[in-house]
Amino acid sequence: AGVDVVANNRGEFFLIGTPLKDVAKAESLAGPGELVVSPSVYDSLQKRGVIMSKLRFAFVESDYQRVTWAGEPSVNEMLSLLEGQGYISNDKTDAESLIDELVQSAHIPIPSEIGESLSDPSSETTLQSDLMRLLECHRHEAARDVVGKFTAELRRVVVIFISIMYEPSLPEDPSDDDVLLENFQSIYSIISESVSSRSGQVRQFINDDKGTVFIGSFGLRGSVILHPSDAAVEAAQEAQKKLFDIMDIQCSIGITLGKIFCGETGSFQRYEYSMLGPSVNLSA
């Protein structure tokens, strides 16, 4: 199920449900180069007779299955079979054409003044040159603070990681959905207010195999304060107290400080603001 929460002019959309826990377990059971499917996916595949005849399954644990292709077919044969069964929809019938299309979809338009200085416009565009241009575009715009384009920088930021002890199961009766949605909204509003009122930023609010998690930051560009660590600790204490007093929900909180990558990642077709670095992982 999908959930929307909104507070302080910032909205978050996330998914909840058993498949999120299943996919995490399947990934943990798969070794390098292996594919493992959950029991629900295996049941679904059993209804697709043609593709089942092309696959081999081996029990791993708890009805999770390791999948291999019978006779080691070529990539083109696998793509053809998946397309014929409706798993992919593409008019490209061979692997090379499909890969070319994926590369084209990832092509990143670069401002002409930067692109011309990096390469000859008449040369053939490659994925490698696109990536180099993207990195250069990041460097230029981080320095010039250009609005409306990709920006990125390295800076010292305080990261706050809040693990909320709230892991609801989806109600079977749709009329009970309102209770679950209101609880998620209340949790998000309480924490968001505690963070935003101290010039902090909401990075993410999700529910996955690790439970319900809120990630925030203090010290990003545009909202620098004199003592970000103090503000983070105060926000954490307030959020923890309010969650317990108002909703009787406990939470565990980690706070770190360090230099991290801050910026938009992806392509202009789909991108998000990311914070990457050791201190981000340590906060968890």
Side-chain angles (χ1 to χ4, degrees):
V3 178
D4 280 300
V5 291
V6 181
N8 298 299
N9 297 318
R10 168 66 187 263
E12 288 283 325
F13 176 82
F14 60 93
L15 302 175
I16 63 172
T18 303
L20 294 174
K21 294 180 174 60
D22 288 348
V23 73
K25 182 172 182 178
E27 188 276 330
S28 68
L29 294 174
E34 293 183 344
L35 169 64
V36 173
V37 299
S38 70
S40 58
V41 173
Y42 180 67
D43 291 342
S44 176
L45 289 174
Q46 285 186 309
K47 300 174 183 177
R48 315 284 292 216
V50 176
I51 195 169
M52 282 293 290
S53 66
K54 302 290 185 179
L55 301 177
R56 295 291 180 267
F57 295 89
F59 175 81
V60 183
E61 70 172 59
S62 303
D63 292 330
Y64 282 74
Q65 304 283 335
R66 181 176 292 108
V67 183
T68 56
W69 288 81
E72 298 184 358
S74 67
V75 174
N76 286 334
E77 288 174 330
M78 288 188 286
L79 289 173
S80 178
L81 178 61
L82 291 172
E83 183 178 3
Q85 291 295 303
Y87 285 96
I88 60 174
S89 178
N90 199 293
D91 57 357
K92 310 297 182 183
T93 56
D94 62 275
E96 184 176 355
S97 299
L98 185 58
I99 292 171
D100 286 343
E101 182 169 303
L102 291 173
V103 170
Q104 286 298 321
S105 68
H107 176 73
I108 303 161
I110 300 298
S112 57
E113 65 272 17
I114 296 177
E116 291 174 0
S117 64
L118 292 176
S119 63
D120 179 4
S122 62
S123 63
E124 181 179 357
T125 302
T126 64
L127 182 58
Q128 182 179 10
S129 65
D130 281 347
L131 292 174
M132 293 299 294
R133 291 182 181 187
L134 173 60
L135 293 174
E136 185 66 10
C137 192
H138 273 296
R139 184 179 71 81
H140 277 263
E141 292 177 4
R144 296 182 301 174
D145 194 21
V146 176
V147 178
K149 301 176 182 178
F150 277 163
T151 58
E153 59 184 340
L154 296 175
R155 64 185 301 125
R156 287 176 62 82
V157 174
V158 175
V159 178
I160 177 171
F161 184 99
I162 304 179
S163 178
I164 302 112
M165 281 58 173
Y166 181 68
E167 299 185 33
S169 57
L170 291 176
E172 295 183 5
D173 186 350
S175 63
D176 296 331
D177 289 351
D178 289 345
V179 175
L180 182 146
L181 297 174
E182 288 174 3
N183 285 339
F184 273 121
Q185 178 62 60
S186 297
I187 292 171
Y188 181 74
S189 297
I190 289 172
I191 303 178
S192 178
E193 177 60 31
S194 299
V195 171
S196 300
S197 63
R198 294 172 172 82
S199 298
Q201 303 81 24
V202 177
R203 166 62 186 90
Q204 195 173 42
F205 183 66
I206 58 173
N207 180 278
D208 57 16
D209 62 297
K210 299 178 180 62
T212 303
V213 172
F214 178 100
I215 303 175
S217 62
F218 292 82
L220 292 180
R221 180 186 292 265
S223 58
V224 177
I225 54 179
L226 186 59
H227 300 295
S229 296
D230 295 1
V233 172
E234 291 174 359
Q237 290 177 327
E238 179 179 285
Q240 198 169 51
K241 184 177 186 304
K242 285 185 174 180
L243 282 175
F244 184 75
D245 292 346
I246 298 173
M247 304 187 67
D248 194 25
I249 291 177
Q250 295 275 16
C251 65
S252 57
I253 303 176
I255 300 176
T256 57
L257 169 63
K259 180 177 286 188
I260 63 175
F261 168 91
C262 312
E264 295 159 347
T265 56
S267 70
F268 282 98
Q269 286 74 38
R270 171 68 171 84
Y271 64 90
E272 64 178 0
Y273 190 87
S274 301
M275 299 190 306
L276 308 172
S279 64
V280 179
N281 300 329
L282 286 174
S283 66

